[in-house]
Amino acid sequence: MDICIAGAGAIGCTLAARLTKSGQNVKVLARGATLETLQNKGIRLTDVDGEHQVNVVASDSAETLGKQDIIFVCCKTPALPSVLTLITPMLHEQTIVIPVVNGIPWWYLQGVEGRFAGANIEAIDPAGSVSKLIPQHHLIGCVIFITAFREAPGVVTSTNPHLIVLGEINHKMTERLENVRKLFEEAGIEARATDNIRDQIWTKVAANLTSNPLSVVTRGSLEQLYGDPRLKPLVRNLLDEALLVAAAYGARIRFDPYTFMELGAGMGAVKTSMLQDYEANQTLELDAIGYAVLELADKVSIPMPITKQLLDLTHFIASSHPHFKQN
């Protein structure tokens, strides 16, 4: 299969390295200094299985890379409109597009029946502008549990075991879903196919919402956020608000709150992706991780006052940054 990784950050390089090493035909859509590094030096990934040095075909031109069977969109949510527009020349009728993104995906209210079926979420899909870019039949949902750090362009360290959960956005089990799952399994990444990807989305959203914004405010690690007695009550309140909204949308989260907090603390001295973005003067994913959740909560008349205050505080801190680029 022809596989493209669109976006060569920490997650994109991790997937590109593991899939290439397993023998897949992988190309990378990148730009700038990262593109130059990939073309000249390839990708160096250090993870729990050791160090992997792989050479990849990389370009900043979708036309040059050609039609693809699978495209993994590995970018921050603010960049989605531009990246989804960029990959359009690589699509054929059967191309599978898998957005590897944080937070609530733009397609969350699409593909299944329900009170809000087909509606768009303004925080991440204003006036349906993102939904218009990729037809629904191309999409497979994805929730990724990989902790990775970009040390330099094309150089990534990932210290925890890799896990990816995949699911059709209509909750059907399909042959193409199983084929994608097997690709990851053969690449040494634990992969699970599910008949309800939204359950997994809410599990990851709860983790992001209780850790990412607060990490920018406190500069704390996951171990501190979930383990420090001064922060735990706040984090538990955030978690309770998130779980209530998840339940209102029928999501089943397999971890009870106490176990959830223990697992978070057990991640160790890890910086959240949002704190890494803040320190690197990058745009924060507050819309997908936070404000989209508030919008969904408002649709079902569930207040999230503590979450709202924390998000606004984080936004204020980010806006004071000299390179603030938040929408």
Side-chain angles (χ1 to χ4, degrees):
M1 301 183 77
D2 292 314
I3 301 172
C4 178
I5 309 294
I11 297 299
C13 283
T14 299
L15 298 184
R18 296 300 304 230
L19 289 169
T20 299
K21 192 174 177 65
S22 70
Q24 296 297 328
N25 179 30
V26 178
K27 298 180 176 67
V28 180
L29 187 65
R31 57 188 177 185
T34 300
L35 173 60
E36 184 178 352
T37 297
L38 296 186
Q39 291 174 330
N40 295 326
K41 299 180 180 179
I43 297 172
R44 187 171 82 242
L45 168 67
T46 303
D47 63 12
V48 292
D49 293 327
E51 186 170 300
H52 316 278
Q53 178 68 48
V54 299
N55 295 321
V56 294
V57 175
S59 175
D60 59 0
S61 167
E63 289 83 358
T64 298
L65 295 179
K67 302 295 184 182
Q68 301 294 312
D69 299 312
I70 305 176
I71 303 173
F72 294 96
V73 180
C74 302
C75 68
K76 300 295 184 181
T77 49
L80 272 173
S82 60
V83 174
L84 293 180
T85 300
L86 193 62
I87 68 172
T88 300
M90 294 191 286
L91 299 179
H92 58 71
E93 183 59 26
Q94 302 302 319
T95 299
I96 298 170
V97 177
I98 304 178
V100 185
V101 294
N102 278 326
I104 300 292
W106 81 85
W107 51 260
Y108 183 83
L109 296 174
Q110 303 171 16
V112 291
E113 296 180 356
R115 180 179 176 188
F116 306 109
N120 58 288
I121 302 171
E122 287 295 319
I124 49 178
D125 187 21
S129 56
V130 179
S131 297
K132 296 173 184 175
L133 298 175
I134 302 292
Q136 288 184 36
H137 75 270
H138 287 295
L139 297 173
I140 284 182
C142 162
V143 180
I144 196 161
F145 298 91
I146 293 178
T147 303
F149 302 92
R150 181 178 180 269
E151 310 289 353
V155 180
V156 176
T157 298
S158 181
T159 56
N160 294 318
H162 306 317
L163 168 64
I164 188 167
V165 183
L166 301 150
E168 297 279 3
I169 71 169
N170 61 7
H171 292 175
K172 294 181 179 179
M173 300 298 288
T174 63
E175 182 179 0
R176 71 174 191 170
L177 177 61
E178 176 60 15
N179 289 339
V180 175
R181 190 199 66 78
K182 287 180 179 178
L183 284 178
F184 284 108
E185 188 178 73
E186 293 166 359
I189 295 175
E190 182 182 356
R192 303 171 188 169
T194 178
D195 62 357
N196 192 328
I197 190 63
R198 287 164 178 79
D199 286 352
Q200 295 297 326
I201 288 171
W202 277 107
T203 300
K204 183 71 177 290
V205 163
N208 282 333
L209 193 57
T210 55
S211 61
N212 278 259
L214 188 57
S215 71
V216 174
V217 174
T218 64
R219 309 296 193 272
S221 67
L222 292 179
E223 182 179 49
Q224 292 170 321
L225 298 177
Y226 291 104
D228 191 294
R230 294 163 296 183
L231 298 177
K232 284 175 66 176
L234 172 57
V235 174
R236 177 56 194 269
N237 286 334
L238 295 168
L239 179 60
D240 288 345
E241 289 186 353
L243 293 179
L244 188 58
V245 179
Y249 282 87
R252 300 163 296 174
I253 295 179
R254 54 181 292 202
F255 300 113
D256 64 87
Y258 292 101
T259 302
F260 195 98
M261 299 282 288
E262 289 175 353
L263 290 171
M267 294 293 288
V270 173
K271 289 184 179 181
T272 69
S273 60
M274 188 173 288
L275 179 55
Q276 293 181 61
D277 288 342
Y278 177 77
E279 293 178 340
N281 303 335
Q282 299 296 313
T283 304
L284 305 188
E285 294 184 285
L286 287 173
D287 288 334
I289 287 175
Y291 289 111
V293 179
L294 292 183
E295 189 174 331
L296 289 176
D298 186 63
K299 286 180 180 292
V300 291
S301 302
I302 294 178
M304 300 184 75
I306 298 174
T307 301
K308 174 68 161 58
Q309 290 172 356
L310 177 61
L311 289 171
D312 288 346
L313 176 60
T314 308
H315 191 278
F316 173 80
I317 290 172
S319 66
S320 302
H321 201 284
H323 298 283
F324 177 70
K325 294 184 290 185
Q326 190 68 36
N327 293 331

